[in-house]
Amino acid sequence: MYLTREQEKMLNGEYGWAVAKALELIVKVGEYLGADKLVPIMHAHVSGISYKNIGEPGLLFIKELFRGGGIARVYTTINPGCVDLMGSSRIISNELLGKQILVNEYLEKMSMKPTYTCIPYLHRPPAPLERLAWGESNAVIIANSFYGAMTNREGGPIALAAALTGYIYHAGLQVMDNRVVEKEMVLDQSIGEELYGALGLWIGENITGIPLIRKHRLSIYDAKIVLAASAASGSHGLIVLENITPQNTYRISDKVEKISVDVKDLRKYRGTPPSVGEEVLFYIGCPHLHPSEFMFIYKYLEKQEHVNKYDFLLTIPRIYAEIFSREIEVLRRKGVDIAIGTCPVVSVLSKKYDKVVTNSGKAAFYFKKIHGIEPYITSLKKIVEMIIS
Ligand code: F3S
């Protein structure tokens, strides 16, 4: 692999131990993937920071990089951890608070932004063709598909290493020749909000390569649900959305296979509605709520007396604790459980449930896989209506 003089110096330890280790990791992975060089990035997003998932080895790895002089050389955001940063959730356990705070402190001391969210584009929307090194599959696929940026699905350690060096390997979706559409999906126009989570799970399981979705104008809120689910049940990093994905950020192959999606095929991914006697969690916020989604829910529930007939959980970015403090307090007083800077997939649940009702295909996928809880997927609006009925 070709390295510049600066990169050689980094590797030789002239920029400190942490930078040398970080660059060594990127070079090794890059060589394995056949990269010809390293490229500079504008923004790293570090995932894999939940203490519940990384445990003591992950904490030690981060601590060593900090002690070795690690400091973010580019704008770096941080994914959710395993605790509610305001400590008031009854659904997400704060039993790992001490350990998570240690992880957070090391990252913040390395000049990473305390965002604790999986929608880093909220803080810094990427530009078309801008190079990033993002962990967190839902953020990656939005960056590529919605903003036309260039990032692979990086693991937590690689995204961290890219933050400390400012470079990533030139392979995969960093290379224009690999951003080629070979499948074209025409969606049944009856596929609406209630089926978006299921649609994403279907794409993840049934489509390989880079598909193009035609004739279906998805808002960023819809795209967030479809794309996150496809990146959870499959390995997608880019799905081209007609009239949305910036045109100079992908190419279309001469041979494109047409695929049609039938509504009937999507139904089995939705699961079944809750039945009487089941302990149910209603959950919205995977990926974390966008400000407009949060305000939509707030406006809907603002005039209700109480909504605490059910367990209703919202998960949101850390910054909302400041910008929506009044709204959060109002919703909490009505019985809504709001967890900040975390989510139920990367944390420990305080209670046992038989079923989760969610708008998120990604949450449905992981609730079943990690917590053994059966999901039912519907739309955000339907969930809010169910809560107040
Ligand atoms: Fe975000 Fe957790 Fe879902 S990190 S994408 S809310 S699984």
Side-chain angles (χ1 to χ4, degrees):
M1 181 191 294
Y2 168 78
L3 294 181
T4 62
R5 270 186 68 78
E6 185 205 29
Q7 291 159 357
E8 293 278 8
K9 283 184 184 174
M10 285 180 161
L11 208 51
N12 293 336
E14 290 181 44
Y15 289 71
W17 180 86
V19 170
K21 281 284 149 206
L23 202 76
E24 191 184 315
L25 185 61
I26 292 170
V27 168
K28 271 194 187 142
V29 174
E31 279 176 345
Y32 176 77
L33 295 172
D36 54 341
K37 60 179 178 180
L38 302 180
V39 286
I41 54 160
M42 296 295 289
H43 178 173
H45 178 67
V46 180
S47 63
I49 66 104
S50 155
Y51 182 80
K52 184 212 159 199
N53 293 346
I54 61 174
E56 227 29 44
L59 171 58
L60 281 177
F61 176 69
I62 292 169
K63 182 174 164 183
E64 273 185 20
L65 288 173
F66 165 68
R67 293 239 166 115
I71 194 106
R73 295 171 67 87
V74 290
Y75 181 88
T76 303
T77 43
I78 310 175
N79 219 39
C82 67
V83 294
D84 167 25
L85 293 172
M86 288 188 81
S88 61
S89 174
R90 290 162 282 117
I91 295 169
I92 291 190
S93 163
N94 261 13
E95 66 186 49
L96 298 173
L97 180 67
K99 293 290 190 180
Q100 186 63 59
I101 293 297
L102 273 179
V103 172
N104 296 359
E105 279 176 1
Y106 288 127
L107 295 172
E108 289 176 35
K109 282 180 185 163
M110 288 193 278
S111 289
M112 298 175 192
K113 312 283 175 211
T115 50
Y116 304 109
T117 184
C118 49
I119 54 167
Y121 47 87
L122 174 75
H123 293 272
R124 184 183 176 283
L129 298 178
E130 187 174 273
R131 293 189 191 278
L132 317 169
W134 283 12
E136 177 46 57
S137 62
N138 103 79
V140 166
I141 196 165
I142 283 281
N144 287 313
S145 309
F146 204 88
Y147 292 100
M150 300 176 97
T151 175
N152 286 302
R153 287 172 58 145
E154 305 299 357
I158 288 284
L160 185 51
L164 302 185
T165 59
Y167 292 105
I168 196 65
Y169 51 85
H170 184 241
L173 293 173
Q174 297 284 355
V175 179
M176 188 54 83
D177 284 351
N178 295 331
R179 301 170 71 99
V180 181
V181 169
E182 286 171 341
K183 312 241 163 85
E184 180 184 317
M185 296 169 57
V186 180
L187 301 186
D188 186 319
Q189 289 303 313
S190 65
I191 297 174
E193 231 186 297
E194 286 192 4
L195 284 171
Y196 284 153
L199 170 65
L201 292 176
W202 184 91
I203 295 173
E205 275 190 14
N206 294 284
I207 308 280
T208 51
I210 300 174
L212 159 74
I213 298 182
R214 271 207 202 281
K215 294 187 188 160
H216 214 88
R217 180 131 195 127
L218 299 169
S219 67
I220 186 149
Y221 317 113
D222 303 331
K224 209 168 145 243
I225 294 299
V226 176
L227 299 178
S230 66
S233 65
S235 56
H236 293 281
L238 166 62
I239 292 179
V240 173
L241 306 170
E242 188 180 38
N243 299 327
I244 294 177
T245 310
Q247 275 185 0
N248 57 343
T249 63
Y250 64 90
R251 287 197 291 106
I252 298 189
S253 162
D254 300 336
K255 285 192 200 136
V256 173
E257 182 190 346
K258 297 228 185 222
I259 296 168
S260 57
V261 185
D262 200 312
V263 177
K264 287 204 285 301
D265 294 332
L266 304 182
R267 296 234 162 89
K268 71 171 178 147
Y269 289 88
R270 286 189 72 190
T272 51
S275 8
V276 181
E278 277 187 323
E279 198 64 48
V280 184
L281 170 65
F282 291 82
Y283 172 51
I284 305 175
C286 172
H288 274 179
L289 289 172
H290 189 275
S292 320
E293 292 173 309
F294 179 76
M295 284 311 289
F296 173 84
I297 295 169
Y298 172 75
K299 292 271 176 225
Y300 222 93
L301 299 181
E302 193 186 9
K303 297 182 191 72
Q304 303 299 316
E305 276 281 306
H306 288 290
V307 289
N308 58 0
K309 193 163 79 175
Y310 302 105
D311 280 356
F312 179 36
L313 173 67
L314 301 178
T315 51
I316 56 176
R318 193 207 62 87
I319 197 172
Y320 295 2
E322 292 150 31
I323 57 181
F324 292 126
S325 59
R326 190 187 67 80
E327 289 82 359
I328 289 171
E329 201 36 49
V330 169
L331 290 178
R332 279 200 178 130
R333 279 207 301 272
K334 291 180 188 296
V336 180
D337 197 293
I338 301 182
I340 288 169
T342 184
C343 85
V345 170
V346 298
S347 61
V348 178
L349 297 182
S350 303
K351 295 177 70 175
K352 288 208 178 327
Y353 294 97
D354 301 310
K355 184 148 281 177
V356 59
V357 176
T358 180
N359 62 329
S360 165
K362 176 169 181 175
F365 181 84
Y366 282 114
F367 259 91
K368 191 160 180 185
K369 189 170 168 180
I370 295 174
H371 299 301
I373 299 173
E374 285 299 321
Y376 174 59
I377 305 175
T378 186
S379 67
L380 183 152
K381 188 158 178 270
K382 278 269 163 56
I383 295 174
V384 180
E385 284 168 359
M386 285 163 106
I387 286 297
I388 60 178
S389 65

